[in-house]
Amino acid sequence: MSVPVAPLPAIGIDFGTTNSVVAHTADGSTASLVDFAAPDGTGAVFRSALCFWQDDAVRGALEHEAGPWAIAEFLGFPQGSRFLQSFKSVAASTTFEHAQIFTKRLRFEDLGRTFLDHLTMHAGGALQDLPERIVVGRPVRYVGSRPDPMLAAARYDAMFAGLNRKIHYVYEPLGAAYSFASGLGEAATLLVADFGGGTSDFSIVRVEAPDAPRRCVPLASAGVGIAGDRFDYRIMDKLVLPLLGKGGTYRSFDKVLEIPGGHFADFSDWSKLALMRNRRTLDQLAKLRHAATDPAAIDRMIAVVEHELGYGLYEAIGAVKRALSSQIHAEFHFEGAGLSVAAEVSRAEFERWIAPDLAELDEGVDRVLARAGLAAVQIDHVFVTGGSSLIPAVRALFERRFGAERIASGNELTSIAHGLALIGSAPDLAEWTVGEGDEA
């Protein structure tokens, strides 16, 4: 007669492209989220961002902050600091070697360790005494056209080495699957779709009855390098940039030419916009304004650059995206120093803009079903999680395939960490871990 193995204490870390969340469990049946201090209070969601600035009193010394504190530091002194967000997206990039931060070159693992140090500090002691079992989520597929999962694995190992514990890596959607399965009272086949900031991942899990010796068995996973950041940029590119001159023309001698797209390249990331505020760029934009057939549009672009309005602009874009999840029309409206812009946008327009991305997500679902050897009718439950799961067109992909009655959602930002902690407590942890260089 086998003796049940007692659950072990564990920590689950969801190191996300946009946000990071940590959960811990002591008894294996329940998991609690770790709260982090922030300038406006406490919360379980910690932005995956870093800000660096130089210490004037010590030559060459760098000061730094992370999370919401990093955003506050950057907004307070953007020209004197360097801001990094979504740095997880370069984990598997062979072209990324280091970030040049003032006079220092910081590798991915250097950035990651700095971020983890601040994450631990702002947890207020909750992460000081770590258990032996630490489970870290990783994407099924990393961002990029040719991601190298073995390189990402080495960088993750170096990043988390400072925790002085063996790190167990588990696909992020499997964490969400385990979290959802903990609330099921019957056997089922479950598909989880996790929509993060940089990637969208899919996993299928067989869930046995609550009294089964082994409750969950992972069957297959697949991933797509498209998620929330791509949707935000679609709004920027299609709605906002035309107000700032993209697609417009300028006069060159006796010709009328389209404004080069290179002027708008750095608008893909709001933190890059602060770096455009230099004399050379502003002089170029002043010349462009003089030649533009719509100088008012270039005035608006200059205002964004000169007054460092990128953060607020992207916050307004995020507000429009969220509004279109509950409304069929929304108004984009932004006001800042020297700038006031507004435009109407419909949900139908937004869905046209993201149609190529939705097609790739659909193909990702095809792949995970094929790898599991299952048809859509054999899936009992579909759990969609992550911020972009709230977009109606994303949800509709799954309703068309599986029927609305099988779709569930909730805990969009925290379910992965919650499930990772539960997996860490389970006796079959090894069955959930990802081998070095695995990618689906």
Side-chain angles (χ1 to χ4, degrees), residues 124-405:
L127 300 177
Q128 293 299 323
D129 297 319
L130 297 175
E132 286 299 318
R133 287 192 167 192
I134 298 179
V135 179
V136 175
R138 56 144 284 187
V140 177
R141 187 187 189 281
Y142 289 97
V143 178
S145 58
R146 293 185 177 180
D148 183 342
M150 293 192 69
L151 175 61
R155 287 171 168 170
Y156 266 49
D157 283 344
M159 171 181 174
F160 289 98
L163 298 181
N164 297 317
R165 296 287 190 276
K166 176 177 172 56
I167 304 299
H168 305 270
Y169 297 104
V170 171
Y171 285 141
E172 290 162 354
L174 290 180
Y178 208 99
S179 178
F180 183 79
S182 67
L184 287 177
E186 72 285 339
T189 301
L190 168 67
L191 185 151
V192 169
D194 167 39
F195 300 97
T199 62
S200 297
D201 295 326
F202 313 101
S203 287
I204 296 176
V205 173
R206 178 61 189 170
V207 182
E208 302 299 342
D211 57 351
R214 187 180 178 196
R215 185 76 206 278
C216 297
V217 179
L219 301 181
S221 294
V224 178
I226 289 173
D229 288 352
R230 177 75 64 87
F231 299 147
D232 287 347
Y233 182 66
R234 296 296 191 194
I235 298 175
M236 171 64 86
D237 187 50
K238 300 295 186 179
L239 182 68
V240 180
L241 290 185
L243 301 174
L244 308 184
K246 187 172 183 179
T249 58
Y250 71 102
R251 298 180 184 85
S252 177
F253 298 103
D254 60 343
K255 296 181 180 179
V256 176
L257 305 172
E258 184 171 339
I259 295 172
H263 287 292
F264 307 94
D266 284 341
F267 280 80
S268 62
D269 182 340
W270 69 262
S271 63
K272 293 180 180 178
L273 291 176
L275 303 181
M276 292 178 67
R277 189 178 183 271
N278 56 72
R279 181 46 50 196
R280 180 182 176 185
T281 299
L282 290 171
D283 285 347
Q284 289 175 342
L285 293 179
K287 291 177 182 178
L288 178 62
R289 181 201 179 281
H290 181 73
T293 53
D294 182 6
I298 307 305
D299 279 335
R300 291 190 284 270
M301 180 164 66
I302 291 172
V304 171
V305 175
E306 190 166 26
H307 299 293
E308 298 160 342
L309 303 178
Y311 177 76
L313 200 58
Y314 260 96
E315 288 292 292
I317 285 171
V320 166
K321 183 177 72 173
R322 291 188 292 274
L324 289 173
S325 292
S326 59
Q327 304 166 199
I328 60 172
H329 288 88
E331 182 181 1
F332 169 78
H333 181 74
F334 176 75
E335 287 196 22
L339 177 67
S340 178
V341 289
E344 288 287 330
V345 59
S346 69
R347 182 187 291 173
E349 288 176 299
F350 175 55
E351 291 177 354
R352 283 198 299 272
W353 298 339
I354 66 173
D357 309 318
L358 296 175
E360 290 196 47
L361 296 179
D362 215 21
E363 290 171 3
V365 179
D366 284 337
R367 284 196 296 275
V368 75
L369 287 170
R371 289 172 181 176
L374 297 173
V377 295
Q378 295 173 282
I379 301 296
D380 299 304
H381 299 281
V382 177
F383 180 54
V384 293
T385 189
S388 294
S389 67
L390 301 174
I391 296 174
V394 172
R395 193 179 182 96
L397 288 178
F398 296 89
E399 291 181 348
R400 285 195 297 270
R401 283 176 176 266
F402 305 101
E405 70 282 357

Side-chain angles (χ1 to χ4, degrees), residues 34-68:
V34 173
D35 280 332
F36 301 97
D40 57 353
T42 60
V45 180
F46 195 80
R47 284 289 290 270
S48 302
L50 287 165
C51 185
F52 296 86
W53 63 97
Q54 290 182 306
D55 184 348
D56 293 335
V58 183
R59 183 179 178 84
L62 281 181
E63 298 289 336
H64 37 74
E65 254 299 355

